[in-house]
């Protein structure tokens, strides 16, 4: 193949490429569509949002308020044996690896002045509510990241509720049990907050 043939071959490739580019430009002009600024058919997603919240509630199981209605302190004493190596419960009892738990339910987090809490626990504001105790006993490392407790947690909700009921008994004035109605109201508010405004 001589140089003349090579030039013809290169020219053919160049023309083909220019033709392809031109075809794409023409097709873009013919079939071009501006993006929609809004859905042509508005979709109400409030039912989906409500269903998602409801599904999450079912997956998580009964709330701690519901579990506390049937909790048993005596059964909690049995479950607490797992905790007794590190905690005492009597009024004025000594700290062990963990703090004494007298009057812990409802009391401020990290309030035992004779125990050296981690910075993570000391940074928590508020008290040991039923909800916080439930989360903490489920998985301490997730409930208060950075705390020193090495206990893995209690998987069964009934075990957690029973232990909390047992700990609640160690107080001169135990706090009131949570009401299911208040929890249901909070869930309804969460569903309403998750649902987008009607279009």
């Amino acid at each position: 193949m001589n140089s003349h043939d090579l030039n013809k071959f290169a020219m053919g490739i160049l023309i083909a490429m220019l033709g392809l580019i031109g075809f794409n430009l023409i097709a873009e002009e013919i079939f071009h569509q501006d993006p929609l600024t809004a859905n042509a058919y508005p979709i109400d997603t409030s039912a989906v949002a409500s269903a998602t919240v409801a599904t999450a509630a079912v997956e998580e199981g009964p709330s701690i308020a519901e579990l506390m209605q049937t909790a048993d302190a005596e059964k909690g004493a049995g479950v607490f044996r797992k905790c007794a190596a590190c905690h005492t419960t009597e009024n004025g009892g000594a700290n062990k690896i963990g703090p004494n738990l007298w009057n812990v339910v409802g009391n401020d987090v990290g309030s035992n002045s004779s125990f050296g809490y981690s910075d993570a626990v000391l940074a928590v504001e508020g008290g040991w509510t039923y909800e916080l105790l439930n989360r903490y006993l489920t998985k301490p490392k997730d409930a208060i990241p950075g705390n020193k407790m090495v206990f893995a947690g209690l998987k069964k909700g009934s075990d957690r509720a029973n232990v909390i009921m047992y700990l609640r008994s160690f107080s001169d004035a135990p706090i009131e049990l949570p009401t299911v109605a208040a929890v249901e109201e909070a869930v309804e508010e969460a569903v309403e907050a998750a649902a987008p405004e009607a279009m």
Side-chain angles (χ1 to χ4, degrees):
M1 182 180 285
N2 58 33
S3 60
H4 184 66
D5 291 334
L6 283 173
N7 287 341
K8 284 170 42 178
F9 181 71
M11 184 63 71
I13 292 175
L14 182 60
I15 290 171
M17 290 176 64
L18 289 172
L20 184 61
I21 292 170
F23 177 78
N24 284 337
L25 291 173
I26 293 169
E28 173 66 21
E29 285 298 319
I30 294 172
F31 299 107
H32 176 74
Q33 289 184 341
D34 291 323
L36 294 174
T37 56
N39 289 332
Y41 300 99
I43 301 170
D44 182 6
T45 59
S46 59
V48 176
S50 299
T52 301
V53 173
T55 301
V58 170
E59 289 175 355
E60 290 176 5
S63 69
I64 189 59
E66 293 169 310
L67 291 169
M68 291 305 296
Q69 307 309 308
T70 55
D72 186 324
E74 288 186 16
K75 290 180 180 178
V79 179
F80 188 80
R81 291 191 190 108
K82 300 176 182 180
C83 316
C86 299
H87 297 281
T88 59
T89 54
E90 64 272 9
N91 191 358
N95 297 314
K96 292 186 176 180
I97 296 172
N100 170 268
L101 299 178
W102 171 263
N103 198 35
V104 68
V105 182
N107 205 354
D108 289 341
V109 176
S111 60
N112 185 337
S113 60
S114 64
F115 184 77
Y117 294 100
S118 65
D119 291 340
V121 170
L122 292 173
V124 177
E125 297 180 359
W128 283 112
T129 63
Y130 291 103
E131 291 77 16
L132 179 56
L133 279 168
N134 183 49
R135 289 200 312 273
Y136 191 74
L137 291 173
T138 301
K139 198 167 185 182
K141 293 298 181 187
D142 286 353
I144 304 179
N147 81 84
K148 296 187 291 188
M149 189 156 132
V150 295
F151 184 61
L154 298 170
K155 292 183 179 179
K156 290 178 64 176
S158 58
D159 284 348
R160 296 192 300 273
N162 291 337
V163 166
I164 294 169
M165 184 66 87
Y166 176 68
L167 291 174
R168 177 180 176 270
S169 70
F170 295 102
S171 173
D172 291 328
I175 66 169
E176 291 183 9
L177 290 172
T179 62
V180 175
V183 173
E184 289 175 349
E185 184 179 337
V187 170
E188 287 176 7
E189 289 175 0
V191 170
E192 290 173 4
E197 294 181 7
M199 294 183 175

